[in-house]
Amino acid sequence: MIEPCLIAQISDPHIKAEGRLSYRQVDTARALRQAIDKLERLIPRPQLLLISGDLVDFGRPDEYATLREILADSSLPIYLIPGNHDHRENLRAAFPTLTHLFQHPRFVQWAVDDYPVRLIGLDSSVPGASHGLLCPARLQWLDETLHQQPTRPTLVMLHHHPFASGIAHMDRQPLRHASALAEVIVQHPQVERVLCGHLHRSLQARFANTLAMSCPGVSHQVSLRLDGAGTPSFHLEPPGYLLHHWTPAAGLVTHQGFIDDYPGPFPFYDDNGLID
């Protein structure tokens, strides 16, 4: 019998070292600790944790050391991909025991077959650039990897968004040539979701006959400006996470949760079936 699978996703922790604040406003280390604590307290607890890039702020070894210290508080298996703020070699050097980071000789790309849902991580980072790109070699690897298990439900995760978000400054740094990724994904109907980060907001869009969705930021959110005006900015809106719940009967259902704690739960009804 195939068991259900509960997968947590967070994104864009942007960890800085020595208590520094990101953009002189955000204590990203504290925010990530809060996120880990929240996920550990969920009932039921997720079986694993995906983190979809921009793990640290400048790709420095001391930042990755801080990230490693914080993630050590999690009891969940953790799977990482890089974003445009990351540095492949420093990431690998900081996490030598995370064997998935070393599956591909050049890129931080991996496939994990240990769960009812297959997990695939893609490396869309371009050193020194904010936008993302999947070169022919990375796309060929994806296509070959998907061909290996054509009937198994699969999540594909990358950092950069492969769809237009409507937020102008973010759409100047998306996954470039996203149609090339779509040409691969559309051939593999077992792909249940294409997951990403980068946008620091929860968005969903149709993509290659499946659903692409971005995860909210673990600390700060990109300002919701759909008019194309204004300076690129962020808000200290409630940070969040995604829970991807797969069951054989229903397939994959995704929930958004908030890292902060709020009052509740409160009953809709009392013992008599009514609250005045």
Side-chain angles (χ1 to χ4, degrees), residues 162-203:
F163 55 86
S165 71
I167 302 173
H169 71 97
M170 297 305 297
D171 287 341
R172 291 193 289 270
Q173 47 180 299
L175 178 73
R176 292 188 180 176
H177 310 301
S179 59
L181 173 62
E183 289 173 4
V184 175
I185 296 293
V186 76
Q187 299 177 56
H188 300 280
Q190 76 269 30
V191 176
E192 295 270 356
R193 295 283 191 280
V194 175
L195 307 177
C196 67
H198 195 50
L199 290 170
H200 290 244
R201 300 201 70 85
S202 178
L203 282 78

Side-chain angles (χ1 to χ4, degrees), residues 182-250:
E183 289 173 4
V184 175
I185 296 293
V186 76
Q187 299 177 56
H188 300 280
Q190 76 269 30
V191 176
E192 295 270 356
R193 295 283 191 280
V194 175
L195 307 177
C196 67
H198 195 50
L199 290 170
H200 290 244
R201 300 201 70 85
S202 178
L203 282 78
Q204 303 84 37
R206 287 180 58 85
F207 179 77
N209 289 346
T210 187
L211 181 63
M213 59 193 315
S214 65
C215 187
V218 81
S219 57
H220 54 287
Q221 314 307 312
V222 166
S223 299
L224 183 57
R225 292 294 301 265
L226 299 178
D227 57 3
T231 301
S233 59
F234 65 92
H235 274 70
L236 297 180
E237 296 174 348
Y241 59 91
L242 297 180
L243 281 180
H244 308 287
H245 187 214
W246 184 86
T247 62

Side-chain angles (χ1 to χ4, degrees), residues 5-74:
C5 188
L6 186 60
I7 301 165
Q9 180 190 358
I10 59 175
S11 197
D12 295 83
H14 286 268
I15 293 300
K16 299 178 84 71
E18 298 178 357
R20 296 186 183 94
L21 301 182
S22 187
Y23 309 110
R24 301 181 181 178
Q25 294 288 332
V26 187
D27 187 343
T28 54
R30 178 176 179 271
L32 181 57
R33 288 189 176 94
Q34 289 179 315
I36 296 299
D37 176 69
K38 182 60 173 280
L39 295 176
E40 290 288 330
R41 290 186 285 114
L42 290 179
I43 302 174
R45 288 175 63 256
Q47 291 161 260
L48 64 131
L49 172 60
L50 305 174
I51 309 183
S52 45
D54 280 0
L55 308 169
V56 302
D57 220 18
F58 288 101
R60 293 170 14 181
D62 60 341
E63 293 177 332
Y64 285 114
T66 302
L67 175 67
R68 183 179 63 238
E69 177 189 349
I70 297 170
L71 294 183
D73 290 335
S74 175

